[in-house]
Amino acid sequence: MAEAQARPKGFKLLKAALRTRKSASMLAFGFSSGLPFALLIGTLNAWLGEVKINLATIGVLSWIGLTYSFKFLWSPVVDRVELPGLAKIGRRKSWIVLCQAVMILAFAALALTNPVTNIGWFAIFAVIASFASATQDVAVDAWRIDVADEQTPVELLSAIYQFGYRTASIVGGAFALFLAARMSWSLVYLLMAGFILLALFVALTAPDTERPPKGLMNELLSQPGEIQPRTRLVALAIVLVAWAWAIITIGTFMVSMLGAQQEGTKAPSVADFTKELGPWIIVATVFVPLVVAATMNWLKARGKSVTTEADTSHSSGRTAANQMYGALISPLAELSGRLGWGVLIIIGFILTYALCYNIWSSFAFPFYLDYLHYTKDEVAFASKIFGIFMTMIGISLGGYLFAKIGRFPTVLIGAILPPTGNLVFADLAEGGPNIDAFAHLLRLDSLAVALGSDERMVRLLLAISYENISTGIALTAFVAYLSSIISRKFTAVQYALLSSLTFLVGSLGRGVAGEAFDTLGYATVFRYTAAFGFLSVLFVSLEWIRSNASERRSAREAAGSSTSAEMSNPTT
């Protein structure tokens, strides 16, 4: 018998995967996710600033950012609800297509609305677009994990997703600004809506996975040995109260930002909100459900508060409660049951892995322009054009490393590089003596002079090159690893919940970092954030050890089962 053909690695794997419909669809989905984010979070500010909109709009823009931070709150709907009329095109595709259609209409509405005379409607259309964009992200993340296989592994799909996302950042950022200098903002946003329409056509041809059978959750929860309905109801009530408090708190804050401000009163601040209430929202929406889910696993493992026979009740109330339990608690129960105490390592990994670039990214322009005194043209080229291409190189390297050296070595590299990048920026803040020495060693300073530039620009480009390449590798590693630990039974909820932690820690950290930059200076804060960022190396190492131990344990159990089977069926 011929031996099975070995799975290709490195560029051979990349080449093979890019021939598939899944990878082509992933590129389009990455573009469709990145474009609205770039248009709503960054480019929209340029439009509003150009037409002299007052500072009250900052509240609306802050609201737009919060939809991405708290998308996990409605992720159970995306995971469980079957869309009437659209469900036949696919489990995940139906949600992706719906969100893309809403974004097209919302961007068209923005294009047809004058923000100077109709800022209220303009804000509403922007929020609708951001809500649809964040919801699309939930569905796209779930799709990526669901369709991954040996030919197109999740690591490669994650790299392709990041590549499409960063391409969209150029289109929605630098290219949109380029167009806006030559045509009206309305035409620019209509053109961007056209790009999303192209992505919608690709989505219609993408493959998808089957939806679980209807009534499966009721059937599973009615089996003997499951948690009793009354206990499940108590657990569900605790989680619902915690989530309701979080949703009401966030909703109240959002409404207050849109409301008219009385003279002499301070406008609501997202930084203050995330600093004061953000940690409690994380506790309410993540840790409370996680503790409840772990408690349910503990009771079930010890045979306490469990049913002794099949539950034959099929009331509408019981069905609704089971569906809510399956949407809110079962995903975390599965995660904590499968990972055990390792779920705390995962949370530590998530909170620290993206810390460096999540916190300081909002302060990049003030650092370059006000502190280092680079011109706007220099910063635009270095950050928006040169920097994004460096990020794409990093993303490509991340995908290659995953295929070539494996998962954990790549994740570890992604943990080490960004904190080191903060040390590079600390050097830049102090005049760049080490960067200059490196540039001189490679004769890059002489090359810059020959090309009509100077060592100051070389200094900036080298710092941005290192940061963006390392960030590209780290982001690819982060998305791919997080995707690999998600259960396909609860894809949307688990991924949305865990990935949202990175947005929340970024928001919380930026509130603290802003004050620290003012009081301690850039170089000192860069070194502090690098030190905290290196904590991710510890969590990655702990997770590597835990994962290897789990794999060895599974191998021993499989070997034991095989031996038992051979002994019970001796060969004659």
Side-chain angles (χ1 to χ4, degrees):
M1 182 182 296
E3 292 185 4
Q5 185 178 359
R7 174 176 160 182
K9 291 185 177 181
F11 284 118
K12 290 182 179 179
L13 176 60
L14 182 63
K15 184 178 178 180
L18 289 176
R19 293 174 181 161
T20 68
R21 191 154 55 103
K22 292 177 182 178
S23 56
S25 301
M26 187 77 270
L27 186 65
F29 288 158
F31 185 89
S32 181
S33 291
L35 186 61
F37 187 85
L39 291 171
L40 293 168
I41 302 302
T43 306
L44 200 68
N45 291 342
W47 183 356
L48 296 176
E50 186 176 295
V51 296
K52 310 299 182 186
I53 297 297
N54 61 45
L55 294 178
T57 308
I58 293 175
V60 177
L61 298 178
S62 299
W63 184 350
I64 291 172
L66 286 175
T67 59
Y68 295 94
S69 297
F70 296 104
K71 61 187 177 183
F72 64 88
L73 292 174
W74 59 89
S75 62
V77 176
V78 179
D79 204 35
R80 295 286 174 181
V81 172
E82 185 173 336
L83 292 172
L86 287 175
K88 60 183 179 182
I89 69 174
R91 179 188 183 189
R92 307 300 184 191
K93 284 166 55 179
S94 58
W95 278 97
I96 294 171
V97 168
L98 173 64
C99 292
Q100 288 173 335
V102 172
M103 285 190 290
I104 291 168
L105 294 175
F107 280 124
L110 283 173
L112 298 175
T113 304
N114 186 341
V116 176
T117 57
N118 293 289
I119 186 60
W121 280 108
F122 191 89
I124 290 172
F125 294 141
V127 170
I128 291 172
S130 67
F131 184 83
S133 174
T135 306
Q136 178 194 231
D137 288 351
V138 174
V140 167
D141 290 333
W143 181 90
R144 180 181 66 248
I145 298 167
D146 287 346
V147 304
D149 55 25
E150 284 295 313
Q151 285 70 43
T152 48
V154 71
E155 294 88 358
L156 187 59
L157 287 175
S158 299
I160 294 171
Y161 169 83
Q162 286 290 330
F163 197 87
Y165 195 98
R166 298 301 162 181
T167 302
S169 297
I170 296 177
V171 174
F175 184 61
L177 292 173
F178 172 82
L179 291 177
R182 291 155 178 83
M183 62 177 68
S184 69
W185 280 106
S186 295
L187 287 177
V188 171
Y189 272 71
L190 278 176
L191 179 61
M192 297 299 148
F195 283 129
I196 298 176
L197 180 61
L198 293 176
L200 187 151
F201 287 130
V202 175
L204 291 173
T205 65
D208 209 338
T209 53
E210 294 292 328
R211 183 178 294 277
K214 290 184 177 181
L216 180 61
M217 186 56 62
N218 283 330
E219 182 180 341
L220 292 175
L221 293 177
S222 65
Q223 299 298 316
E226 291 293 328
I227 297 294
Q228 294 176 353
R230 184 174 298 178
T231 305
R232 291 202 304 265
L233 193 61
V234 172
L236 185 60
I238 294 172
V239 172
L240 285 176
V241 168
W243 279 48
W245 173 81
I247 292 171
I248 292 171
T249 301
I250 296 168
T252 302
F253 173 69
M254 290 177 175
V255 171
S256 70
M257 288 196 302
L258 277 185
Q261 301 296 318
Q262 297 180 354
E263 290 188 17
T265 61
K266 182 182 178 182
S269 165
V270 172
D272 292 341
F273 175 80
T274 51
K275 191 188 304 182
E276 296 169 6
L277 292 174
W280 294 110
I281 290 174
I282 295 175
V283 169
T285 56
V286 177
F287 287 99
V288 168
L290 193 60
V291 169
V292 169
T295 303
M296 296 299 101
N297 287 339
W298 185 87
L299 292 173
K300 188 176 178 180
R302 286 157 181 76
K304 298 181 178 181
S305 297
V306 297
T307 57
T308 56
E309 57 186 26
D311 181 14
T312 58
S313 176
H314 297 291
S315 66
S316 58
R318 177 67 55 80
T319 299
N322 285 346
Q323 290 296 329
M324 294 181 71
Y325 185 90
L328 299 180
I329 298 178
S330 291
L332 286 178
E334 189 280 334
L335 192 67
S336 61
R338 175 162 47 90
L339 300 178
W341 288 105
V343 73
L344 298 179
I345 298 176
I346 297 296
I347 291 176
F349 160 75
I350 292 169
L351 293 178
T352 57
Y353 200 79
L355 186 67
C356 288
Y357 46 85
N358 262 350
I359 285 180
W360 110 268
S361 59
S362 294
F363 305 98
F365 285 150
F367 176 62
Y368 298 144
L369 296 170
D370 301 332
Y371 187 78
L372 298 179
H373 304 296
Y374 286 97
T375 68
K376 291 180 180 178
D377 287 343
E378 289 172 335
V379 173
F381 171 76
S383 179
K384 290 297 184 182
I385 300 175
F386 178 82
I388 289 179
F389 280 110
M390 292 299 104
T391 302
M392 288 182 173
I393 291 174
I395 291 167
S396 301
L397 284 173
Y400 174 77
L401 289 172
F402 253 108
K404 193 69 176 176
I405 66 176
R407 180 174 59 171
F408 275 111
T410 307
V411 174
L412 186 61
I413 291 172
I416 294 171
L417 292 180
T420 309
N422 274 32
L423 297 179
V424 172
F425 275 99
D427 184 66
L428 183 64
E430 293 176 335
N434 295 312
I435 299 175
D436 288 346
F438 179 78
H440 183 70
L441 179 66
L442 298 182
R443 296 294 185 266
L444 295 176
D445 49 356
S446 300
L447 177 63
V449 172
L451 294 175
S453 186
D454 55 30
E455 65 177 13
R456 287 183 69 257
M457 198 62 186
V458 173
R459 197 179 299 153
L460 179 63
L461 292 177
L462 281 175
I464 287 179
S465 293
Y466 183 90
E467 187 209 24
N468 287 24
I469 291 174
S470 63
T471 299
I473 294 172
L475 283 174
T476 302
F478 178 80
V479 171
Y481 180 71
L482 207 59
S483 300
S484 71
I485 65 170
I486 299 302
S487 168
R488 294 195 178 189
K489 290 172 59 180
F490 306 104
T491 316
V493 179
Q494 288 183 354
Y495 191 90
L497 185 64
L498 295 178
S499 64
S500 290
L501 291 176
T502 63
F503 289 96
L504 290 174
V505 74
S507 297
L508 294 170
R510 282 190 290 270
V512 177
E515 297 177 2
F517 280 131
D518 285 336
T519 56
L520 301 177
Y522 280 100
T524 302
V525 176
F526 279 133
R527 292 192 175 95
Y528 277 134
T529 55
F532 282 114
F534 278 121
L535 286 175
S536 64
V537 177
L538 171 63
F539 284 110
V540 169
S541 301
L542 290 174
E543 175 58 10
W544 196 344
I545 294 170
R546 186 205 66 79
S547 180
N548 286 343
S550 177
E551 290 176 1
R552 288 194 298 269
R553 185 166 55 252
S554 298
R556 286 196 302 267
E557 292 174 355
S561 299
S562 177
T563 302
S564 300
E566 291 177 359
M567 293 179 64
S568 61
N569 295 282
T571 303
T572 56

